[in-house]
Amino acid sequence: MLTRHEHVGAIHAALDDGRYVEIRGDAGVGKSGVLKHFAQQIAIESQVIIFSPSRTIAKGWTAMRAALGFDGTARDLLVDIAAGGGATLFIDNLDLFDDEERRTVVDIIREAAGVPGFSVIVTARRNFGIEEPNWLPAEILDRLGRTEPVMINELTDTEVDEIKHAAPALSSLLADNHPARKVARNLFRLSRLANLQGVESTLRTEVDMAEQWWQSADGRRDADHRERYRLLKVLAEQTLLNAGPYDVSNCPPNAINALIASETLRDQGNDCVSFQHDVLREWAIANLLYIDMTMIERLPLGGPAAASFERGVELAARMTLERSADASQWQLLMTHLSRYGIHGAWRRAALLALVRSEIAPELLSRASIFLMADRACLL
C-alpha cells in the first residue's frame, strides 16, 4: 500500500506551526488515503474524531448531542476526549459537506479551538476557498493557528517505482509508453484501471474511463446490466438535488448489491447508499449531463458551483470536445452557461475543460476558431 510518506511527514511538521492543517489536491490523488493513514498513526497515542460528508450528524451540536445521548456541552465532550494527552478532529472532503452538516462541524470546531491540545486536519480540493471563502469561520481558524497547506500531487516517479515493486501486475499500466499514462498517475484512476481487463489499453483520458464505467454500469454486459445502468442514472439524477445518501428502497436489489460489490456504491444501511468515491459521483453527473444537457437546468446555476457539480460540468464539457470532430457542441454549452444570471463559476468550469483534459493540445486546436473569434471575446 502506498502511504506517500513525505506527505505524512509534512503534516507532522505543519502541526509544529499551528493546530489547523489543510491537505489539498485534485480529485483522486489520495488525500483521503493520506488522512486515513495519519489518523491511524495518531489514534495509537491519542483520541480522534472523524467527520465526512453524508456520514456526519446534521443540524448542529444539539442534534449531535441527542444522537449521542450526551448530557453535557460540546466543550465538556471535547475536554473529556482530549484529557488523555490531546486529540485531533479530522474533516474529510471539506468541500462536499451540505449546509446542515456544516452546522455540526462548525459547532464542534469552534469548541475545539478553545481546548488545549486539540488539532484540526482537513482535506479539500486544490481550488477550495478560491471562488468562495472557506465556510469554516476565519476567526476560529485564526485561533487554532493556520499553517501552509500540504499539497498532494499526482504520483511521482519514486512513488511509481514503489508501486511497481509492491504490485508488479501494475507495471504495464505505469509504463511510460502506456496509452493511459497520464490518467494512471492518479491513485484513484489507477485503482480503477487495475480492475479492468481487456479495455485498459484503449483508455487515454479520464473521460474514456468515466464513459466506460457508465456504459458498462461497472460490470459485465450480462442480464443485470440494464438494471445497473438504470440505477446509476437514477442516482445521478438524485445527485443533482442532494449529496446523498440516496434512498434505493424502490430499486432492484440485485443491481444495488452488484454496484456495492464493485465498489461503485457504499451501503449506508436502511435502504440508503452513497457513491464510494466523490470522483464516481462526478462521473455520474458528467455522463448524465452529456446524454441530456437539459439536466443542466436542475443545477443551482444562480450561485457558485459546489465541487462535485463544478467537476461534473467540466467533465461533461470535456466529453462534448473529446467525442466530436469539432467544438460546436462545446460552444453551445459555453453559450448556455454564459447567460445573464448564471454564476461565472459554471462557465469557468466548461472553459477550463480545454486545458484540463489529458489531450489538451488536441482540444485547444479543435476549439481554436471559437476561442479566437471576435478578438478572443470568449476569453
Side-chain angles (χ1 to χ4, degrees), residues 306-372:
S308 287
F309 291 160
E310 184 175 9
R311 270 264 300 167
V313 169
E314 178 196 313
L315 287 168
R318 287 198 218 176
M319 288 178 179
T320 66
L321 287 160
E322 294 187 26
R323 296 295 178 261
S324 177
D326 58 39
S328 57
Q329 290 300 311
W330 174 78
Q331 184 191 28
L332 288 175
L333 176 61
M334 286 295 298
T335 300
H336 189 76
L337 295 176
S338 300
R339 292 174 297 159
Y340 177 77
I342 295 180
H343 194 280
W346 302 96
R347 179 180 182 276
R348 178 176 177 272
L351 183 61
L352 288 176
L354 286 165
V355 292
R356 288 183 172 165
S357 170
E358 291 79 8
I359 53 172
E362 293 180 33
L363 303 190
L364 284 166
S365 177
R366 196 169 297 166
S368 60
I369 294 176
F370 299 122
L371 290 173
M372 297 298 105

Side-chain angles (χ1 to χ4, degrees), residues 119-156:
S119 300
V120 179
I121 302 176
V122 309
T123 66
R125 296 287 174 89
R126 184 182 297 273
N127 60 350
F128 175 71
I130 295 176
E131 294 253 342
E132 293 293 322
N134 185 336
W135 53 268
L136 294 176
E139 69 275 11
I140 297 176
L141 304 188
D142 291 339
R143 287 175 62 197
L144 285 164
R146 306 187 198 217
T147 64
E148 285 296 313
V150 175
M151 304 301 298
I152 300 184
N153 300 306
E154 303 290 341
L155 295 172
T156 65

Side-chain angles (χ1 to χ4, degrees), residues 263-282:
E263 297 188 346
T264 276
L265 300 179
R266 177 185 289 117
D267 188 354
Q268 301 283 21
N270 298 319
D271 282 329
C272 288
V273 299
S274 61
F275 282 103
Q276 183 75 237
H277 198 285
D278 52 303
V279 173
L280 296 177
R281 184 190 305 114
E282 294 156 3

Side-chain angles (χ1 to χ4, degrees), residues 18 21 26 29 69 87 106 116 130 135 143 170-171 205 207 225 246 259 262 286 318 335 362:
V21 180
D26 294 325
V29 295
V106 169
I130 295 176
W135 53 268
R143 287 175 62 197
L170 298 179
S171 295
T205 70
V207 161
H225 172 264
Y246 312 108
L259 290 176
S262 69
R318 287 198 218 176
T335 300
E362 293 180 33

Side-chain angles (χ1 to χ4, degrees), residues 32-245:
S32 295
V34 171
L35 185 81
K36 180 179 179 181
H37 182 72
F38 190 82
Q40 289 172 337
Q41 285 188 347
I42 293 294
I44 297 173
E45 302 175 351
S46 63
Q47 299 296 316
V48 302
I49 301 174
I50 301 175
F51 286 147
S52 61
S54 302
R55 304 181 78 177
T56 296
I57 298 170
K59 300 184 179 181
W61 162 247
T62 302
M64 182 176 177
R65 180 175 62 183
L68 294 175
F70 186 74
D71 294 331
T73 66
R75 178 177 174 79
D76 293 336
L77 176 65
L78 298 183
V79 168
D80 286 348
I81 291 174
T88 306
L89 171 62
F90 292 95
I91 308 172
D92 197 18
N93 289 313
L94 195 63
D95 32 12
L96 299 180
F97 283 79
D98 65 30
D99 291 340
E100 297 296 319
E101 292 171 332
R102 291 180 182 185
R103 288 173 53 188
T104 303
V105 174
V106 169
D107 285 350
I108 296 300
I109 197 174
R110 178 179 288 112
E111 297 301 331
V115 177
F118 225 114
S119 300
V120 179
I121 302 176
V122 309
T123 66
R125 296 287 174 89
R126 184 182 297 273
N127 60 350
F128 175 71
I130 295 176
E131 294 253 342
E132 293 293 322
N134 185 336
W135 53 268
L136 294 176
E139 69 275 11
I140 297 176
L141 304 188
D142 291 339
R143 287 175 62 197
L144 285 164
R146 306 187 198 217
T147 64
E148 285 296 313
V150 175
M151 304 301 298
I152 300 184
N153 300 306
E154 303 290 341
L155 295 172
T156 65
D157 290 341
T158 300
E159 290 169 335
V160 167
D161 289 340
E162 183 182 341
I163 293 175
K164 287 179 178 179
H165 178 75
L170 298 179
S171 295
S172 61
L173 281 173
L174 292 166
D176 288 342
N177 61 351
H178 194 282
R181 182 187 185 281
K182 290 186 178 181
V183 294
R185 261 52 180 180
N186 177 288
L187 271 177
F188 172 77
R189 297 199 291 266
L190 174 62
S191 69
R192 300 296 299 184
L193 282 169
N195 290 329
L196 298 175
Q197 295 182 354
V199 299
E200 68 275 11
S201 62
T202 67
L203 306 176
R204 289 194 303 162
T205 70
E206 185 177 1
V207 161
D208 291 338
M209 293 187 67
E211 190 175 60
Q212 188 279 333
W213 168 79
W214 178 264
Q215 292 183 350
S216 69
D218 202 18
R220 299 179 181 277
R221 291 186 176 272
D222 52 21
D224 293 330
H225 172 264
R226 188 181 299 275
E227 288 184 345
R228 296 196 315 272
Y229 178 83
R230 287 175 175 170
L231 176 57
L232 278 183
K233 190 169 183 293
V234 166
L235 294 177
E237 291 174 356
Q238 288 193 44
T239 298
L240 298 186
L241 301 176
N242 65 82

